[in-house]
Amino acid sequence: MENTAKFDLNESISAWRRQLRESPALRNDDLEELEAHLRDSIARWQSAGLSPEEAFWIAKRRIGNDESLACEFGKVNSERVWLTRALWVVGGSLTIKVFLDAASMISFLGAMAAQRMMQAGYDFGLVQWAGRTLSAQPGNVNGVALGLATIAAYLITLAALGWLVWRSLRGSRGLLSRAGQWMQAHPVWATIAVAMIVLCSSACGMGIHFLGMRRMAISDYSTILMCRTYTFLGSILAWPLLLGWLLARWSRQLGARA
Amino acid sequence: MLSKELVAASTVPLVLSVLAEGESYGYALIQRISELSSGEIVWTEGMLYPVLHWMEKEGLLESEWKEGEAGRRRKYYRIRKEGRKALQAEKQQWMTVNAALTKLWRTQPSLT
């Protein structure tokens, strides 16, 4: 029990409401109704001689815990619960698409930069290294450098984007549910926004190829394409691993709660 | 105290019967039923609302936000024609069970 700070009834009620709002099973109208109930109940316990804090805890207990409330309301508002799940799926696939396009674009840029540097004579000892370790012919060193640059840029971009999304999600838990609410309130704008994101993302992903074809020797361009294909294959293998890791974490969390 | 199963089964007829007396809101409904049963019928209070919403979806009730005393907004529920019909049917069934049990128990007065 908290007895350190002074008890603020209104703040406690809004904290309770915020907690309940996390579940898609409860609409705003439901929250309004439950809060009216909670306030009636608190008033009654207070008039029976309890302190505001005691009255709040008893009223909260009698109204039921968050999980069983969400479960029961979910039966009536099942449509809303499923819509929210669908929104998560759409949001997730959109994020992955933007991730992949951005990573592919940046890896291409990285490869182009590497090629420029090699042409200008900065090879960081790669020519010697490739000749020694991979016994590559001088003509193939270009390809090795391009491939390494592509793969490195691709992986770094994916990791950086993943870290960014992870950070912003952890930083504000309400961000996603607010975005979901906005999308439900403005379906037309949400559709336009999603379409624009897909279009821009695809345009960036494809535009870089035009740049490559115009600016690079065709042999270098095809080397990059080949390396990118290998990287893609590697990253496709990474997705199931990532999914497995997420599921393992998730089930451990659920287990801890149960 | 009533068993969980019986509480669940009796919620709809109880709600319909109280609302047949006049419109009311969730908290008042719970208070009324608690009074009527001398505190024997205890609901997890929040669970009443999904039931009310389901009954509204089924067309048994209708609801409206209204401002009560001290400017407090509450959602009031009113029984509809379909609700009264459903109440009649419920009444019949509960009476049947009640009559059968009463007859059985009257012959064995030691079991009270």
Side-chain angles (χ1 to χ4, degrees):
Chain A
M1 249 341 130
E2 305 144 309
N3 46 14
T4 44
K6 205 167 151 254
F7 180 74
D8 182 340
L9 185 59
N10 278 322
E11 175 46 38
S12 302
I13 292 174
S14 22
W16 168 81
R17 191 174 160 147
R18 269 198 303 278
Q19 189 71 39
L20 273 181
R21 200 174 53 190
E22 301 234 324
S23 162
L26 285 105
R27 300 168 301 154
N28 252 338
D29 197 67
D30 301 331
L31 291 170
E32 202 70 42
E33 197 175 22
L34 283 174
E35 184 180 332
H37 180 109
L38 189 77
R39 285 184 183 275
D40 276 334
S41 185
I42 290 170
R44 207 212 111 189
W45 291 108
Q46 274 188 287
S47 71
L50 295 187
S51 75
E53 186 170 3
E54 289 165 333
F56 170 75
W57 286 108
I58 291 193
K60 183 180 154 178
R61 217 187 130 72
R62 289 180 68 108
I63 214 165
N65 67 40
D66 301 348
E67 274 136 49
S68 48
L69 280 178
C71 176
E72 290 302 313
F73 273 94
K75 288 178 191 162
V76 191
N77 298 336
S78 57
E79 198 180 303
R80 198 182 140 89
V81 173
W82 281 103
L83 269 176
T84 309
R85 284 179 195 163
L87 219 61
W88 272 87
V89 173
V90 171
S93 23
L94 202 66
T95 312
I96 289 176
K97 165 146 185 63
V98 172
F99 264 40
L100 291 179
D101 279 336
S104 117
M105 190 177 81
I106 291 176
S107 66
F108 219 110
L109 284 176
M112 282 168 77
Q115 189 232 16
R116 278 286 159 89
M117 280 166 77
M118 306 259 310
Q119 276 176 352
Y122 299 105
D123 66 352
F124 302 108
L126 201 71
V127 176
Q128 278 183 357
W129 178 78
R132 235 185 314 118
T133 322
L134 308 174
S135 28
Q137 298 301 309
N140 293 339
V141 170
N142 232 0
V144 172
L146 286 183
L148 287 177
T150 314
I151 291 170
Y154 190 84
L155 293 181
I156 289 170
T157 313
L158 269 191
L161 281 176
W163 181 78
L164 247 162
V165 169
W166 180 252
R167 271 292 304 266
S168 60
L169 280 186
R170 294 202 80 171
S172 57
R173 285 170 60 84
L175 187 76
L176 258 171
S177 76
R178 270 206 304 280
Q181 270 166 14
W182 183 83
M183 286 176 86
Q184 278 167 355
H186 311 273
V188 177
W189 285 115
T191 313
I192 293 175
V194 168
M196 289 310 286
I197 291 174
V198 172
L199 267 177
C200 291
S201 176
S202 303
C204 288
M206 286 189 290
I208 200 74
H209 283 278
F210 288 108
L211 196 68
M213 283 188 277
R214 302 197 115 210
R215 289 287 174 87
M216 298 174 92
I218 196 72
S219 62
D220 287 340
Y221 175 72
S222 50
T223 308
I224 293 180
L225 272 195
M226 212 169 69
C227 294
R228 264 166 39 87
T229 312
Y230 287 136
T231 328
F232 266 130
L233 284 176
S235 69
I236 283 168
L237 285 179
W239 288 115
L241 289 177
L242 180 70
L243 185 70
W245 177 74
L246 279 174
L247 283 177
R249 253 189 86 103
W250 187 44
S251 66
R252 213 178 322 141
Q253 253 182 6
L254 284 187
R257 196 187 289 177
Chain B
M1 203 113 88
L2 237 58
S3 76
K4 241 171 140 182
E5 289 78 12
L6 207 48
V7 167
S10 59
T11 304
V12 171
L14 279 170
V15 167
L16 286 173
S17 308
V18 173
L19 291 181
E21 295 175 339
E23 63 172 14
S24 185
Y25 55 94
Y27 186 73
L29 258 168
I30 288 170
Q31 292 299 109
R32 178 96 177 94
I33 285 162
S34 172
E35 265 167 41
L36 286 169
S37 68
S38 329
E40 288 289 310
I41 300 180
V42 183
W43 287 335
T44 307
E45 298 178 358
M47 301 306 177
L48 174 66
Y49 294 97
V51 178
L52 285 172
H53 298 172
W54 172 79
M55 289 169 79
E56 192 179 358
K57 250 186 200 165
E58 293 290 304
L60 307 178
L61 312 176
E62 57 193 1
S63 69
E64 187 189 2
W65 280 98
K66 274 203 246 178
E67 214 147 281
E69 82 260 27
R72 214 175 252 167
R73 280 180 83 240
R74 294 189 182 107
K75 200 176 187 184
Y76 280 81
Y77 292 87
R78 236 188 329 265
I79 192 165
R80 297 182 64 206
K81 221 160 120 200
E82 287 83 349
R84 289 189 192 277
K85 261 190 241 160
L87 177 56
Q88 277 310 314
E90 287 274 359
K91 225 184 225 171
Q92 211 117 51
Q93 293 177 37
W94 283 89
M95 292 293 216
T96 309
V97 175
N98 184 39
L101 288 175
T102 314
K103 265 184 218 156
L104 278 168
W105 291 338
R106 203 173 281 152
T107 55
Q108 293 164 301
S110 56
L111 270 179
T112 40

